[in-house]
Amino acid sequence: FASWMVSRWEQGTNFDDGLKGAGAIAATYNIGDTFNIVLGVAASSKVVGSGQSVNPFGLFSWKIDQRHTFSTSILEAKLRSTWSDSITTDIYARYTGRRWRLEDRDDGVVNHGSMRDRSIPIGVGLQWEFLQGWRLRGDFGVVAYRQLKTTDEHGDTVDTRTSNAPGVFA
């Protein structure tokens, strides 16, 4: 079982307006030392409006050999390679989605709204554990897809911008 709280908000908005709580419970099943399957359900509150969302999830990992592990879920695929006790690399593609609570503008358009950011980054990550428990990580890649969507207090779309042209990130 895991639970967490997060707050995302535009400057001028109260911290608690962007507050979102979530929790998940899952069960794991190992098939020898090679395969691992995790199935569970996650529940979270909504940043805009009231109510909760409940979603099932699943994760699958395959330990290819002592050095390489492939893992996947509905939203991500990743190949992790361990080169030494301190150096690890990842090659990944994932779908990400975040929502921010916008400032109350009282403009009759966005009033009490939110902005949603959805993207698909494809990248390579390098992690160095320079002291036990202390890690330094760097990532480089492209964002293959990105959509920004602004909605009002009722969840109705005010504006949407989509970019299919790749963008570089580091």
Side-chain angles (χ1 to χ4, degrees), residues 54-127:
V54 178
N55 298 298
F57 66 88
L59 308 165
F60 172 79
S61 66
W62 168 33
K63 187 173 182 179
I64 300 167
D65 57 31
Q66 291 299 101
R67 183 171 285 175
H68 307 288
T69 302
F70 175 76
S71 60
T72 187
S73 70
I74 294 171
L75 303 175
E76 178 179 33
K78 176 172 57 176
L79 177 65
R80 172 162 284 174
S81 300
T82 304
W83 302 104
S84 69
D85 289 343
S86 61
I87 303 293
T88 305
T89 59
D90 293 318
I91 300 171
Y92 59 87
R94 70 175 61 110
Y95 170 86
T96 64
R98 294 187 176 132
R99 186 179 293 266
W100 284 266
R101 178 69 168 79
L102 298 177
E103 179 182 7
D104 297 336
R105 289 169 168 75
D106 292 324
D107 61 3
V109 180
V110 178
N111 194 32
H112 302 288
S114 69
M115 186 193 73
R116 186 186 68 200
D117 179 2
R118 291 181 173 170
S119 63
I120 301 175
I122 300 168
V124 176
L126 172 66
Q127 181 173 286

Side-chain angles (χ1 to χ4, degrees), residues 10 35-36 50 53 57 60 67 79 108 114 122 129 154 160-161:
E10 179 183 32
F35 299 102
N36 178 268
S50 61
S53 63
F57 66 88
F60 172 79
R67 183 171 285 175
L79 177 65
S114 69
I122 300 168
E129 185 171 356
H154 304 294
T160 302
R161 298 285 186 234

